[in-house]
Amino acid sequence: MSKSKVYFSSKITKESVLNLYRTLGVELKGNVAVKVHSGEPGNQNFIRPDFWSDMINEVNGTVVECNTAYAGRRNTTKAHLETFKEHGWNAFSVDLLDAEGPDLVLDIPKGKVIKKNYVGKDIVNYDSMLVLSHFKGHPMGGYGGAIKQLSIGLASSYGKAYIHGAGDPSKIWTADHDKFLESMADAALSVVEYFKGNIVYINVMKNMSVDCDCCAVAEDPCIKDIGILISTDPIAIDQACIDLVYSCDDEKKNHLIERIESRNGIHTIVASAELEFGSRDYELIKID
């Protein structure tokens, strides 16, 4: 079995994003959903819409998101749409996938922990997906990347609680931690299968805090910017980002590594690989 290809550029520009997509040579067809993180108001680290503009326009995509399952300014449709406008995402077509219920339920027969995934019902309007991820740390998952965007990111508000609670929304913050990580892998599998693999993933290793873009109060970045990666394999691209963090020469990298390891973040990648919707074995192809 050949290694998954992950293309990498150390140039972190909007032009570089587009160049990597064209180098990948995969055309996303039909109605393209572009999964972003809208950024919690107050967060200083999220990737702004202008950085993604050329890429979103290239695929004529619709920016998509789902409501959160915790207090903030993205937990209701009204507040979330206001946040989209405040952060400049209204430069594009925007679709809050779970703005109106009921959720779409995706079955996960092979799921390790959960057998269903509750996603925003508007996902049925799209033929393919572009997953734009800001790679950084995360308070619960250890790190956030492509797999988290596929799972927590596309889950409805109820679905987010369901994944966090490892199948029991009432245990959103108290479920067994590794079961939560495995539930993310299960949910990601369901989305990959729904789109029959018609997904491209871009991870940006910039503004890397130990905290997620969902944190209104987040630590400043603790490690130097590294680059941009693109792949058709969500597991390979996340593994490549982890490896780049470990192998970089930044003396402050241990702060981010501690966050990843203390939350057993790699377990999400391991569980995903066991579900076989991608591979940890990859070839990193550097593009200038």
Side-chain angles (χ1 to χ4, degrees):
M1 185 176 178
S2 60
K3 295 180 179 181
S4 294
K5 289 183 170 58
V6 179
Y7 294 87
F8 169 80
S9 175
S10 59
K11 297 178 181 178
I12 307 179
T13 65
K14 58 196 299 185
E15 295 79 13
S16 182
V17 174
L18 195 54
N19 181 50
L20 283 168
Y21 176 71
R22 291 172 176 171
T23 300
L24 183 69
V26 174
E27 182 183 358
L28 291 172
K29 298 180 179 179
N31 290 330
V32 182
V34 181
K35 177 63 180 75
V36 304
H37 194 301
S38 50
E40 186 68 28
N43 185 280
Q44 73 274 36
N45 300 318
F46 75 95
I47 307 298
R48 268 57 177 180
D50 180 65
F51 181 84
W52 296 120
S53 59
D54 289 355
M55 185 66 252
I56 295 171
N57 292 331
E58 175 79 1
V59 299
N60 192 28
T62 299
V63 167
V64 304
E65 254 280 40
C66 287
N67 290 324
T68 62
Y70 50 83
R73 286 181 52 197
R74 298 185 300 128
N75 63 330
T76 67
T77 295
K78 182 177 184 294
H80 205 161
L81 290 176
E82 289 174 353
T83 295
F84 264 112
K85 183 176 181 180
E86 181 181 312
H87 286 172
W89 293 105
N90 281 9
F92 314 102
S93 296
V94 171
D95 186 359
L96 198 53
L97 298 177
D98 66 336
E100 299 177 1
D103 297 337
L104 176 67
V105 183
L106 303 181
D107 291 326
I108 322 171
K110 297 190 330 186
K112 288 173 169 289
V113 178
I114 58 174
K115 302 297 181 181
K116 294 183 181 297
N117 184 26
Y118 297 84
V119 300
K121 69 176 180 59
D122 284 1
I123 202 170
V124 301
N125 297 327
Y126 302 96
D127 306 296
S128 57
M129 178 169 282
L130 175 64
V131 177
L132 304 179
S133 303
H134 176 204
F135 183 89
K136 69 285 179 193
H138 192 276
M140 288 192 70
Y143 84 95
I147 298 171
K148 179 179 177 292
Q149 280 279 64
L150 281 176
S151 54
I152 295 292
L154 287 165
S156 67
S157 180
Y158 174 83
K160 286 176 170 63
Y162 189 84
I163 294 169
H164 269 282
D168 184 350
S170 70
K171 297 181 178 178
I172 181 172
W173 309 125
T174 59
D176 177 84
H177 187 70
D178 282 358
K179 294 297 184 185
F180 152 59
L181 301 177
E182 290 165 13
S183 295
M184 280 204 293
D186 291 339
L189 167 66
S190 73
V191 176
V192 170
E193 291 185 335
Y194 178 81
F195 281 104
K196 298 179 173 61
N198 293 314
I199 309 177
V200 168
Y201 308 89
I202 300 176
N203 283 9
V204 176
M205 302 184 74
K206 171 185 174 67
N207 298 348
M208 287 179 285
S209 167
V210 296
D211 290 324
C212 180
D213 298 342
C214 56
C215 300
V217 179
E219 282 194 26
D220 286 333
C222 60
I223 183 173
K224 291 184 293 186
D225 297 345
I226 292 178
I228 306 172
L229 300 86
I230 189 169
S231 183
T232 56
D233 185 332
I235 299 171
I237 197 170
D238 277 6
Q239 182 67 63
C241 287
I242 294 286
D243 292 342
L244 286 167
V245 168
Y246 275 81
S247 64
C248 79
D249 59 3
D250 192 326
E251 294 180 355
K252 297 181 180 179
K253 68 181 181 182
N254 287 337
H255 188 40
L256 180 55
I257 290 172
E258 188 278 334
R259 173 58 58 92
I260 295 168
E261 293 183 350
S262 65
R263 272 66 166 182
N264 199 20
I266 198 67
H267 188 62
T268 305
I269 295 176
V270 172
S272 297
E274 289 173 350
L275 291 170
E276 299 182 327
F277 61 88
S279 173
R280 298 177 70 186
D281 197 15
Y282 65 91
E283 176 187 5
L284 190 67
I285 303 167
K286 296 182 179 181
I287 304 296
D288 292 329

